[in-house]
Amino acid sequence: MMAFARIASVFLLSSCVALGASYSFAQTSPSDREAAAAAQAKRQGKLPTQGDEQYQKNALKRCERQPEGTARDACVKRVTGAGDTTTRGSVQGGGQVRTNTMQVPPADAPKN
């Protein structure tokens, strides 16, 4: 009887540990698991990184989707930091917001 009780308690303990591990895994979101996998890959030196030059190219490529003219020009100025561009926020804080000020004549401006 004592041997049976000991075996049952060992089985119960191991089942709780196994359930606890699977329970915590099931409670994490896919984005949390992906973030953990990326952190592990970074620690192991397996996470490819893109340089600032590639980030700049990607940002300028997104500007190409803007309509030609003022909107596209403003996008390029924000990305490159040209003109009257200001940056607020941080990557750690959730993102950077870049704004620039451009003077645009009103659509109904008198023509000389």
Side-chain angles (χ1 to χ4, degrees):
M1 177 79 168
M2 184 65 129
F4 177 72
R6 185 173 288 163
I7 291 172
S9 65
V10 169
F11 176 75
L12 182 60
L13 180 61
S14 63
S15 297
C16 289
V17 171
L19 283 175
S22 64
Y23 178 77
S24 64
F25 180 75
Q27 295 300 314
T28 59
S29 68
S31 61
D32 290 340
R33 289 192 297 270
E34 179 146 349
Q40 180 181 6
K42 183 178 179 182
R43 284 190 302 270
Q44 295 173 347
K46 297 179 182 177
L47 188 65
T49 58
Q50 298 178 351
D52 289 337
E53 184 178 324
Q54 184 63 43
Y55 289 128
Q56 185 84 357
K57 285 180 185 178
N58 291 345
L60 289 171
K61 197 170 190 177
R62 287 191 295 274
C63 288
E64 292 174 7
R65 297 191 56 121
Q66 298 292 323
E68 287 188 32
T70 308
R72 188 177 294 179
D73 293 343
C75 181
V76 170
K77 285 182 179 183
R78 282 191 304 272
V79 167
T80 59
D84 187 18
T85 301
T86 59
T87 304
R88 293 184 293 137
S90 67
V91 175
Q92 293 85 5
Q96 293 181 327
V97 177
R98 293 185 179 128
T99 57
N100 63 345
T101 305
M102 297 173 53
Q103 290 191 6
V104 179
D108 60 346
K111 297 180 182 172
N112 296 335

